[in-house]
Structure formats: structure tokens, C-alpha cells
Amino acid sequence: MSEMWVNMGPQHPMTHGLWNLRVKIDGELIVDVDPEIGYLHRGIEKICEYRRYNEVVTLMDRSCYVAGLAWEQLYFIAAEQALGVEVPERAEYVRTMAQELQRLASHIMWYAAYVEDLGLMSPMLYGMRDRDLVLDLFQSFTGARMTYEYMRVGGVRNDLPVGFSDRARKVMDWIEKKLVEYENLCERSDIFRKRTVGVGILKAKDCLNTGVTGPMLRAAGVARDLRRDRPYSVYSEMDFVIPTHDGADAYGRYRVRMEEMRQSIRIVRQSLDWLDRHPGRVMAEKVPRFVGTPSPPPGREEYVLARDFPKGRGLAAMEEPHGEAVAYIVNEGNEHPYRAKLRSPVFVNISAAKHYMIGYRVSDIPVIMGSVDVCLGEADR
Amino acid sequence: MTDTTASTHSAGTTVVTHLHKGDSPAPEVPTEQILAVSAKEFIPLWKENLQGLVNKGMDTLTQPLFNWAGRNSLFPLHLGLACCAIEFAAGFGARWDAERFGVVPRSSPRQCDLLIINGTVTWKFSHKLITLWEQMPEPKWAIAMGNCATGGGPFRTAYSVVPGVDKLFPIDVYIAGCPPRPEAMLDGILRLERLIRERHG
Amino acid sequence: MTAVSSWPEALARLKAEVPDAITGESARPGVLAVLAVPAPSIRRLATWLRDEGTFSHCSLVLGIDWIDHMEVVYHLWSDALKGYLELSVTLPAEDPHVDSLGGVWGGAIWHERETWDLLGIRFDGHPDPRRLLMPEGYKFHPLRKSFELREPEELEVKSRHV
């Protein structure tokens, strides 16, 4: 048989973003793949070097547009480490709750898009409907649906509004109920099971070698989750389990994400309980001068610290909805970072495409790539 | 009562013009034109002239119909670039349901008449975007959704970003916002419908 | 050989089994340690860390342009030690190059491609030394400090096409 290269992308319904999967096919069989990214490379790391620490937040939101708050917090953990700023406990709880709401929104978005790829239209509409409920919660305390600009060096911009926790609890109850419906729609569908079980297998050994993280790694049976292994924020106070699956296939990744949504709901409820009982400030008392406003408004002088702060480097790692995200910031005592580097889980998960795609059929490509959950904004940065 | 003058066209066709006869001087513009041809000339003439006239007449008759149908069923290309693509998708979800305006995303540029550029366009992608635009059949329209497509947005100064997609091809409607809400996207599409009506009838 | 169970133990064994592989060790909050590694011994050290030191996951490879020299930083994660180890390699500003770790961790391949693309640091023995994010034929390495961002009005559109 003759082999040929086929471009799937940059404009292709399978891609869920802007990238090109070059596939070498022999008939219907995938012989080789060569993912090509960079179509959404927006130079975020370079622009960071030209902006003040707080001004970078707009770029972080847009670097991963389905999990903006995760990247905001990632960047600010690194920046706070590099600048030596302490964050109040209430702000940490607000951040943790926001993280888990974000994970919920991101996974529901993934579910909606993925199941639509498999030919089931109504779960997509249900998913988008329930995701909008979570986005309404975001809108009530950040003011935006997707690009929030909510966190700051030393805390968060504003406290939660009155009545937030009741609304959030109602939404959590609703989504918890609907998750059962989602699962029934998929797992009782023969089409869904036949297309996902045993497809796109990436064993734990290959995951470790290729650096694949997140739900893909946990679906291979490795219970690595930075929320538990290297706790940041207040995750060490939270009670949750790390779901794993031993299938290492597309179905396993689906199962892991569904369970993660349940765990997210648990964490959101725990944070809301704590937040109800502990009012307080959500912004650090002292923030370096160049990080806060250049000239503080009257009565807000406490936000200003001495002009100079120690040179340093900060490394933040967190479990983003897609996997392990790392931010590394080199601070040279200026008002802007000297070098900011972001490690995107999607970037690495795509790079391993050779290991989980060769040997399957062309019709399996949307199933496999959908189960990876790509977001090209963070992969290309 | 009419007076008849005959004149000869360069193509050899005889055009008979009827002019009013009255108190006032005869109007400059002929009020009515009759194409008179003999039977044996009919076939070559039909090929040369009548076809053009018929086509033009058909166009005048059918163009409003096509415009009406086209503007009420704009098919955008299923192309997700960046953040705005998520709001684009939300616009087709349960809450906003853009399909009630006849807007159905299609995956092939050959089936589309609307290109919604929903995100940042990089120089690396610009060639492919122009190809997509050229693959779409006429008549076609383009909407720049969000600040990145309009003018580069927050990535304006980046080395890899096209500062405004109108550097590549003409844009009909710009939607502000970073990203615009789905309502804003729907408003942009409805404005495009109005624009097509105003421009083409 | 049993696997290491703590970082001091790993460091002691590292010094005994891979002599002269590190030139300095320092501490910083957030990571287990920062090791300064001379460029020629990076592959030897990385192989030991993967096989004996339980650092099974290469999380991040990045480059920093210090104008007078270049620096490549590796972050490795160990599931046993639950922490990141930072390796730092200093390279000259002129023609910086270092051994590729793509053969040790497959996850390093794309990070190294990106570092070559954006900073112009060559990785010897790299399995796939192409540009990654910028298109082939692009002449610059944009994350170098000598490459400055400008307002788009100052740039000729033609020169940005490749």
C-alpha cells in the first residue's frame, strides 16, 4: 500500500484549537504523526518581560482561555515567591475555591466538546448549559465570564459578594445531580463505549518518559496530583481523593475527569464552609511598591512597601485542569520580571502524540485527540 | 399619437424608439424601447445580446431574493482561533442558541459565506487564513470578533501577532470586547444582516 | 541498588557515583536543591538521576539570556521525593550549545526545540532539531534580550512575513 501524509488542521473540527496534526496514513491505518503547533504563539513570555507584575495577569487569563484563574494563580504563586509576599489565609481559600470552580468549568467544556465529536449532540447542549451556570458564579465575583483579571500579587482583587455561597451551593447541587445524567448518556451509549474503550492507549511507562501529566497520567494508573504531592494554597487542608483508572485509554480519561468533577464539587463546598465562618481581608498588608499602584490612593498607604525587594527566583507548580503547569519567574529587582517561563501540560501532552496515536485508524483521531483535552492557548503561549 | 424614428445600432440591430409628441419638446430619454429582430437573425442575436439582457434582468429580479435568503442563513466557518472561540461556541450552546437566527457553523470553507475571526491571528497562521478566505465562494463576509482580530488586542506588540486582521483582507463588522460576550457576537451577526440589506437590497 | 528515599541521601550517592558531575549546590524554597552542572557532564548526570535518583519526570527546560552568558535550567520531578530538582547549566553567549536530553526523557524533546526556537541555544544530538513555535525560515530568536518589542506601527509588515 502507498503511504501518504495528510494534514488535519489548522482548520479542522477535530483540532479544538489552532494546530496541525500531520498524519501519515496507510489506507486507514495511522503509521506516523507529526504534530505542528505555533499557530497561536502570541509571545506571552516576551510581553511579560515588558510589563509590571500585576499587569501580566491579563496575559495569564488569555494564555489558557478555559482555565484562566488557574494560570493567574500559577503566575502569582511564582511571583509572590520571587518577591517574598505573604498571602492572607482567606485569599488562599478564595483562590482554592476559584480553582476548583475553574476545573469544573473546564471539564464540563471538555465534556461538551468531546461528546459532540463522538456524534452525541445533546450532551454538548447540556454541558454548555451547565457550564454557563458556573460562569455566572465567576461573573458575580470577578465581573467576567472568561478573562477574569481577579488575582493580584498578595491576594485577590475583591472579596466574594453577599449571598455568593448560597448561590454557589445551589449550582454545585445542580451539577452534582447532572453529572449522573452525563454519565448515563455516555456510558449507556454503545457508540460511546465502542469508540472510546481501548483507543488511544498510553501506558504509565510511556507517560513518565514523555512527561505526560494530568488526567492522562491518572488514567494510566499513576496517582500523581500536585494538589496532594506538593500542596500549594490550602489544598493540604482539603479532603479529597485522586481518581485513577487502569484503562490508560480514552474511556479511562473520561472516567477520571468525571470523578475529578465530583472531587472539585467537594472542595468547593469545603472552601465555602470555611469562607462563611472566617471573614477577613483578602489582600496582603504589604506589597512591594512596583507591584501595587505607583502612587497609592489616600488611606491605602499600607499597600506600599520599600522600593527595593530582594532578587530571587520563583517556581510555582500546580495541577491545572489539563495537568501539571509550572511557572518559573526570574526577578532581578525590577518592576517587571526578567524572565517568565510557563510550562504548559497541553504542550507536552501533544508532543507525545506518536506514542498514543500510531496503530489506530483515522476515525479514531478525534476520539484520541479529544480525550487529550487540548487548549492551544497555553500550549503555544 | 406617436412619431416613429428609427436608428441603427452598431451591432446591426434595429431599435425602434417611440417619442411623445405634444406641446413640450420631446424628452431626451426614450420612455420605451422595443427590440425588433427578424426571425432569421434571432439565434445569433440571442447569443450576443439577449442573453446578457436576460441575465441582467434575472439578476435584478432574483438578487433581492438571494440576498434575503443569504442574510437570513449566514453559515460561518467552524474555525476556533483563541479565547473568543469559546464564547463563539457558547453562543451556539443552549442559552444563546445562535441557530435561531439561521447561523449554522460549517466545517468546510466551500459551504460558508461568513468568516468569523474569533481570536488572535499570528503571522504563521495568516497564510492559512487567507487561503481559507479565498476558498470561500462569493458572496462572502467577514467579522472580526474581539480585540485581537480587530487590532491585535493585548498581544499587539508581540513579534508574532498580526496587529489587526484587516491587514489581510477586508472586514465587514468589528466586534469589540476581550472576549465579547455571546450577545455581542449575535449582535454583530445581526448587524451584518442589516448591512447586507442596506448594501445589496 | 535500592531507590533513594530522601534528598540528602540521593545527593551523597550522586557525589559518590557520578564524580565531578556538579560544581555547586544551593538551596532555595520551593525546590529540593539547585545544582550547578558543567555543560559536558549534563547527560551523564541526567541518566543517573533518571535511573538511580528516581527523577522519572522531566518537567521543564528553559533558557535565560543573561546577555554576557546563557543559562539553561532543567526542572526534574521525583515521585518518591515529591519535589523538584533544579539543574542549572551556564553556557557562553557565543554559540551556546549543550547535550540534548531527548534520549533520556522523551518529554524534554519539545522543550528543547522551543528553547532553540526562542533563544537560539543548540542541543547537540537532538532527534528533531527544527523550529517549533515560529515558522521555518524565521531569522530571529525572539526571547533574546537583544530582540526588542516595538509598536506595530514601527514595523514594516513585509519584514515580518517569512
Side-chain angles (χ1 to χ4, degrees):
Chain A
M1 284 287 280
S2 61
E3 294 175 344
M4 65 174 172
W5 283 99
V6 175
N7 281 302
M8 296 183 87
Q11 187 264 332
H12 191 277
M14 172 275 299
T15 55
H16 290 255
L18 209 57
W19 62 295
N20 185 6
L21 182 70
R22 300 182 65 232
V23 197
K24 193 181 193 183
I25 52 172
D26 180 357
E28 278 289 297
L29 195 72
I30 303 170
V31 183
D32 197 2
V33 293
D34 177 21
E36 188 184 351
I37 63 169
Y39 292 105
L40 198 54
H41 177 58
R42 299 179 281 192
I44 287 180
E45 291 172 4
K46 186 74 177 178
I47 305 177
C48 283
E49 297 173 8
Y50 285 74
R51 295 207 177 182
R52 290 187 183 177
Y53 279 95
N54 268 342
E55 291 168 350
V56 170
V57 63
T58 51
L59 303 175
M60 289 302 124
D61 271 326
R62 286 154 184 82
S63 70
C64 182
Y65 32 84
V66 290
L69 280 166
W71 283 78
E72 282 181 26
Q73 184 174 0
L74 175 73
Y75 167 78
F76 281 127
I77 293 175
E80 281 153 7
Q81 226 179 70
L83 301 168
V85 177
E86 289 285 322
V87 183
E89 200 177 8
R90 186 174 165 84
E92 292 283 22
Y93 272 90
V94 174
R95 284 182 177 188
T96 306
M97 184 211 61
Q99 279 317 302
E100 294 306 318
L101 284 178
Q102 186 70 80
R103 190 182 313 276
L104 206 53
S106 170
H107 280 1
I108 295 177
M109 180 77 209
W110 165 80
Y111 171 82
Y114 182 47
V115 181
E116 191 201 10
D117 274 0
L118 298 181
L120 305 172
M121 192 67 194
S122 31
M124 182 257 177
L125 294 171
Y126 294 158
M128 296 304 280
R129 175 196 66 192
D130 297 340
R131 175 176 174 267
D132 277 331
L133 297 177
V134 183
L135 296 193
D136 285 347
L137 290 180
F138 281 132
Q139 204 180 320
S140 69
F141 70 94
T142 68
R145 281 163 53 83
M146 278 169 52
T147 44
Y148 311 100
E149 283 122 42
Y150 180 56
M151 296 185 189
R152 294 286 184 271
V153 172
V156 295
R157 191 181 64 204
N158 53 284
D159 208 335
L160 301 174
V162 178
F164 175 81
S165 79
D166 291 342
R167 280 203 301 277
R169 281 201 177 83
K170 267 184 206 154
V171 173
M172 292 302 112
D173 293 345
W174 168 267
I175 290 179
E176 195 170 38
K177 212 165 57 189
K178 291 294 157 186
L179 280 179
V180 182
E181 199 174 284
Y182 291 176
E183 287 173 346
N184 284 343
L185 275 167
C186 290
E187 288 163 30
R188 292 189 185 176
S189 157
D190 272 353
I191 297 174
F192 184 84
R193 293 178 67 91
K194 279 182 179 158
R195 291 198 69 181
T196 53
V197 175
V199 171
I201 291 179
L202 184 65
K203 295 281 186 200
K205 186 172 150 284
D206 292 331
C207 282
L208 292 175
N209 180 37
T210 52
V212 167
T213 50
M216 285 187 79
L217 179 65
R218 291 192 282 277
V222 181
R224 185 203 293 159
D225 191 321
L226 294 177
R227 290 179 289 174
R228 193 191 55 190
D229 292 344
R230 189 178 182 275
Y232 51 92
S233 212
V234 286
Y235 276 109
S236 47
E237 312 286 317
M238 298 292 174
D239 179 23
F240 63 102
V241 296
I242 314 287
T244 57
H245 197 273
D246 47 11
D249 54 359
Y251 185 74
R253 289 165 210 149
Y254 153 81
R255 281 301 323 158
V256 165
R257 288 200 178 92
M258 297 310 269
E259 286 305 319
E260 276 187 17
M261 284 196 238
R262 293 217 165 77
Q263 300 304 324
S264 293
I265 292 174
R266 278 180 71 188
I267 299 176
V268 170
R269 285 189 178 136
Q270 291 171 45
S271 336
L272 287 172
D273 288 343
W274 192 94
L275 287 165
D276 285 347
R277 282 182 278 111
H278 298 82
R281 61 185 306 149
V282 290
M283 190 71 197
E285 298 196 1
K286 288 188 173 171
V287 191
R289 178 188 175 87
F290 282 127
V291 172
T293 45
S295 53
R300 303 282 293 275
E301 285 83 1
E302 76 270 18
Y303 287 134
V304 179
L305 198 70
R307 184 191 170 93
D308 46 15
F309 41 85
K311 293 181 183 182
R313 297 181 181 200
L315 173 80
M318 61 186 284
E319 196 69 26
E320 202 232 0
H322 306 97
E324 173 206 19
V326 179
Y328 187 72
I329 288 179
V330 180
N331 157 36
E332 278 294 287
N334 292 324
E335 55 187 341
H336 39 71
Y338 186 79
R339 173 89 167 92
K341 166 77 185 174
L342 305 169
R343 188 245 193 219
S344 152
V346 177
F347 178 85
V348 183
N349 290 2
I350 292 178
S351 78
K354 270 193 173 64
H355 296 265
Y356 52 76
M357 203 161 268
I358 292 176
Y360 296 97
R361 308 260 156 190
V362 173
S363 56
D364 292 331
I365 293 178
V367 183
I368 300 173
M369 283 328 297
S371 73
V372 176
D373 191 7
V374 294
C375 167
L376 260 289
E378 61 169 82
D380 289 353
R381 284 152 290 144
Chain B
M1 291 286 286
T2 53
D3 188 22
T4 315
T5 35
S7 65
T8 310
H9 264 223
S10 57
T13 330
T14 311
V15 177
V16 184
T17 317
H18 300 264
L19 292 175
H20 266 284
K21 190 175 184 183
D23 303 333
S24 55
E28 301 272 322
V29 184
T31 51
E32 196 184 346
Q33 288 190 349
I34 296 172
L35 194 69
V37 287
S38 61
K40 65 174 184 183
E41 285 176 313
F42 181 76
I43 292 170
L45 277 179
W46 185 80
K47 279 186 179 163
E48 281 173 23
N49 288 329
L50 200 59
Q51 181 66 55
L53 280 173
V54 166
N55 280 354
K56 206 178 164 203
M58 284 301 284
D59 278 357
T60 351
L61 281 176
T62 54
Q63 198 60 45
L65 186 70
F66 285 154
N67 275 329
W68 168 78
R71 72 168 179 260
N72 284 304
S73 63
L74 290 167
F75 283 12
L77 183 63
H78 188 295
L79 170 69
L81 295 183
C83 327
C84 296
I86 307 294
E87 291 296 61
F88 176 80
F92 291 92
R95 188 182 284 188
W96 282 278
D97 190 16
E99 290 187 17
R100 66 203 149 116
F101 299 112
V103 183
V104 185
R106 307 293 303 173
S107 292
S108 164
R110 311 281 184 199
Q111 302 169 337
C112 299
D113 50 6
L114 171 61
L115 182 60
I116 299 185
I117 300 122
N118 45 17
T120 322
V121 180
T122 56
W123 290 111
K124 187 173 177 178
F125 185 61
S126 60
H127 312 287
K128 321 257 174 184
L129 189 64
I130 291 171
T131 310
L132 284 172
W133 172 248
E134 285 170 352
Q135 281 175 344
M136 286 166 54
E138 293 274 2
K140 56 191 174 185
W141 294 276
I143 292 183
M145 180 179 179
N147 289 355
C148 291
T150 304
F155 310 102
R156 182 178 175 75
T157 52
Y159 47 86
S160 55
V161 172
V162 181
V165 76
D166 49 9
K167 307 255 185 308
L168 306 178
F169 48 78
I171 301 291
D172 295 292
V173 174
Y174 298 86
I175 306 174
C178 193
R181 292 176 60 92
E183 296 97 314
M185 185 194 77
L186 291 180
D187 183 50
I189 292 172
L190 294 181
R191 268 164 200 272
L192 178 66
E193 287 181 12
R194 202 195 305 164
L195 189 128
I196 296 170
R197 194 171 60 225
E198 285 166 4
R199 213 189 265 173
H200 304 288
Chain C
M1 284 276 182
T2 51
V4 292
S5 57
S6 72
W7 171 244
E9 184 198 335
L11 184 65
R13 272 186 58 189
L14 169 67
K15 281 179 177 162
E17 292 175 24
V18 199
D20 307 326
I22 56 174
T23 51
E25 188 224 349
S26 54
R28 215 187 57 230
V31 292
L32 294 169
V34 183
L35 302 183
V37 185
S41 63
I42 181 73
R43 196 178 284 172
R44 197 159 51 99
L45 177 71
T47 314
W48 187 90
L49 284 172
R50 182 195 63 181
D51 295 339
E52 307 292 330
T54 72
F55 288 92
S56 54
H57 174 56
C58 176
S59 176
L60 185 60
V61 180
L62 70 132
I64 305 172
D65 181 8
W66 290 104
I67 300 171
D68 56 338
H69 65 277
M70 291 279 199
E71 184 183 354
V72 180
V73 179
Y74 301 85
H75 286 101
L76 314 174
W77 168 264
S78 160
D79 276 326
L81 307 181
K82 307 274 186 224
Y84 285 99
L85 176 68
E86 188 173 317
L87 309 180
S88 161
V89 180
T90 303
L91 301 173
E94 295 293 318
D95 187 26
H97 62 98
V98 67
D99 278 348
S100 165
L101 298 188
V104 184
W105 293 284
I109 294 177
W110 270 31
H111 284 302
E112 290 179 348
R113 267 179 79 179
E114 187 196 318
T115 310
W116 154 247
D117 188 358
L118 300 182
L119 275 141
I121 297 172
R122 276 196 299 114
F123 289 89
D124 301 329
H126 193 278
D128 192 9
R130 286 179 294 163
R131 278 187 178 265
L132 182 62
L133 297 174
M134 300 307 289
E136 283 294 333
Y138 189 69
K139 293 190 198 69
F140 307 100
H141 298 293
L143 246 60
R144 289 197 174 186
K145 290 287 171 187
S146 53
F147 184 97
E148 287 189 359
L149 292 188
R150 300 206 175 96
E151 278 296 315
E153 285 79 11
E154 299 173 28
L155 294 169
E156 274 183 53
V157 167
K158 219 173 170 183
S159 70
R160 305 184 106 204
H161 269 290
V162 282

